[in-house]
Amino acid sequence: MKRLIGSALLVSLLGAPFAASATPVLVLDADSHEVLAQEDAGVPWYPASTTKLMTAFLTFEALREGRITLSTPVTMTKKSVSEAFLESGLSQGQAMTLEDALYAMIVASANDVAMAVAETVGHGEAPFVEKMNEAAKRLGMTGTHFSNPNGLFDKNNYTTARDLAILGLAIEQQFPQFQNFFQVSAVSINDKEIPSNNLLLTRYRGTTGLKTGFLCASGRNFVGVAERDNRRLMVVVLGATTERERNERSAKYLTEGFEGRLSPSLGRVEAIANRPDVKPEDMRLRLCTKQSEQYEATREAMYPMGLPGQPSYLNDEIPGIVHRVTTWQNEAAAADMPVPSPRPIENPVPRN
């Protein structure tokens, strides 16, 4: 199965104005790195909150090197609480341990906490972003450029399914001691519970991570890992239209991989060529305008799994894990200190 969806089939299904509707998909063996299936895995895409995987990776490196500890305080600054799409309820001057901050950033996808983590670990957003791009280069993420630590929209914040897989593999292989951060299904921040958008954690047996993401410009993204019968598979789905589509497609690809219906005949993930000649697809017209209903209908026809009367790949019932985050007030940091104004954000959307 070398291509999940042929471009000709897409054209016939969707027609104008949505003919070019292929969205990146990558399925691979997480141990051998052998590709089981892929579609446009080297095409640039906006990562949304899967960007936080790199923020986590750099934080794990700093922990390994002893530059910080899980007890290091992370304080919410004026800059961090100015980030968009907040559900954390945190205000300037509130502080938490780095351990709790990682849970809030990864599980709740808290954009404000991700910024505060970057400021703590990197001594400021700009030097941290520089380290993000240095790390991407080290890992061989040749189709990636980061411009912020949380994935909020910026045309210069882009990646590919190939590169996200390489990043996810690096986290899995280099930092198994931190796997717990990706297995929690909800966080409670000062008694306010925020669920993870990774439904597979509680509905697909063996899921161990990793991260979801959503912006109007990106669609719904997912980098996931599941283990069954001593075999670990990774799936990357970018540009899904709805959470149902993202979750069901991810589970479907994993199931086909575990059942041996996807053949490891495409080489290793590192051999996939990135496409610097292609610009990232901007999904805003399709997902966040009056045209959305038409586009969603075409996607439902292509991916009906989980719709009423259709079979679902998410049939397991797995108890969720909730991590409780408590904060304290850092009075010294609560002072109103001048920081650069945040850039304007287009098309406000929910947390990703």
Side-chain angles (χ1 to χ4, degrees):
M1 180 176 177
K2 292 189 177 182
R3 295 182 68 82
L4 297 171
I5 307 166
S7 58
L9 175 60
L10 280 169
V11 171
S12 65
L13 278 172
L14 300 183
F18 300 126
S21 292
T23 55
V25 172
L26 176 60
V27 188
L28 64 148
D29 187 300
D31 294 315
S32 69
H33 297 197
E34 289 292 324
V35 175
L36 306 181
Q38 72 97 4
E39 172 74 22
D40 290 339
V43 170
W45 208 264
Y46 297 118
S49 271
T50 61
T51 297
K52 296 182 177 83
L53 289 174
M54 180 56 84
T55 302
F57 179 82
L58 287 177
T59 303
F60 297 157
E61 283 194 328
L63 286 165
R64 181 176 61 191
E65 295 164 6
R67 293 187 280 117
I68 53 175
T69 73
L70 289 174
S71 298
T72 296
V74 174
T75 301
M76 304 305 296
T77 63
K78 184 177 179 181
K79 168 64 176 173
S80 65
V81 299
S82 72
E83 297 297 284
F85 319 139
L86 306 184
E87 290 188 29
S88 68
L90 296 168
S91 57
Q92 184 177 346
Q94 285 186 278
M96 67 189 77
T97 65
L98 178 63
E99 180 177 20
D100 281 348
L102 283 167
Y103 278 111
M105 178 184 80
I106 294 168
V107 181
S109 205
N111 294 321
D112 50 352
V113 178
M115 181 62 71
V117 168
E119 291 176 317
T120 300
V121 176
H123 307 289
E125 179 188 14
F128 188 84
V129 170
E130 184 176 350
K131 292 180 183 297
M132 293 173 76
N133 288 308
E134 290 172 356
K137 186 176 181 179
R138 278 192 281 120
L139 293 173
M141 298 170 63
T142 58
T144 296
H145 184 272
F146 293 111
S147 59
N148 61 57
N150 52 27
L152 287 173
F153 178 72
D154 187 305
K155 66 179 181 179
N156 292 315
N157 198 70
Y158 55 83
T159 188
T160 67
R162 169 202 182 269
D163 286 4
L164 283 174
I166 288 173
L167 175 56
L169 291 170
I171 291 173
E172 287 270 302
Q173 293 164 1
Q174 295 186 36
F175 302 107
Q177 69 272 35
F178 297 132
Q179 191 177 70
N180 54 293
F181 290 110
F182 301 98
Q183 296 177 338
V184 169
S185 57
V187 293
S188 177
I189 303 177
N190 296 330
D191 296 324
K192 177 183 180 181
E193 187 165 311
I194 306 172
S196 167
N197 280 329
N198 184 359
L199 184 65
L200 275 70
L201 288 169
T202 55
R203 299 298 298 275
Y204 190 82
R205 177 174 55 86
T207 301
T208 59
L210 286 166
K211 191 74 189 74
T212 63
F214 170 67
L215 291 171
C216 285
S218 69
R220 288 168 171 85
N221 302 337
F222 182 53
V223 182
V225 177
E227 181 175 355
R228 293 186 178 182
D229 301 323
N230 296 316
R231 189 181 185 200
R232 294 188 314 122
L233 300 183
M234 176 176 286
V235 60
V236 181
V237 172
L238 304 180
T241 306
T242 62
E243 290 192 17
R244 177 203 58 80
E245 180 195 326
R246 174 177 65 190
N247 297 332
E248 290 283 355
R249 288 178 66 198
S250 298
K252 177 179 184 291
Y253 299 142
L254 289 169
T255 298
E256 291 174 345
F258 284 124
E259 293 180 351
R261 289 187 277 157
L262 303 179
S263 175
S265 60
L266 304 179
R268 289 168 59 90
V269 63
E270 294 85 353
I272 293 175
N274 280 322
R275 295 285 309 278
D277 57 308
V278 179
K279 292 184 178 181
E281 186 81 16
D282 190 331
M283 302 291 286
R284 283 178 287 189
L285 283 176
R286 300 177 184 182
L287 299 185
C288 298
T289 68
K290 294 180 179 179
Q291 300 180 41
S292 302
E293 184 175 350
Q294 176 192 350
Y295 181 67
E296 185 172 335
T298 65
R299 300 296 280 188
E300 287 186 352
M302 293 171 68
Y303 307 113
M305 308 85 74
L307 289 171
Q310 297 292 331
S312 172
Y313 289 86
L314 299 166
N315 299 310
D316 298 318
E317 295 288 343
I318 304 160
I321 303 172
V322 180
H323 178 83
R324 300 195 177 280
V325 174
T326 57
T327 67
W328 67 90
Q329 192 69 23
N330 184 341
E331 298 296 343
D336 186 22
M337 301 181 68
V339 296
S341 299
R343 67 181 181 281
I345 301 297
E346 298 181 15
N347 297 321
V349 295
R351 169 181 62 87
N352 60 12

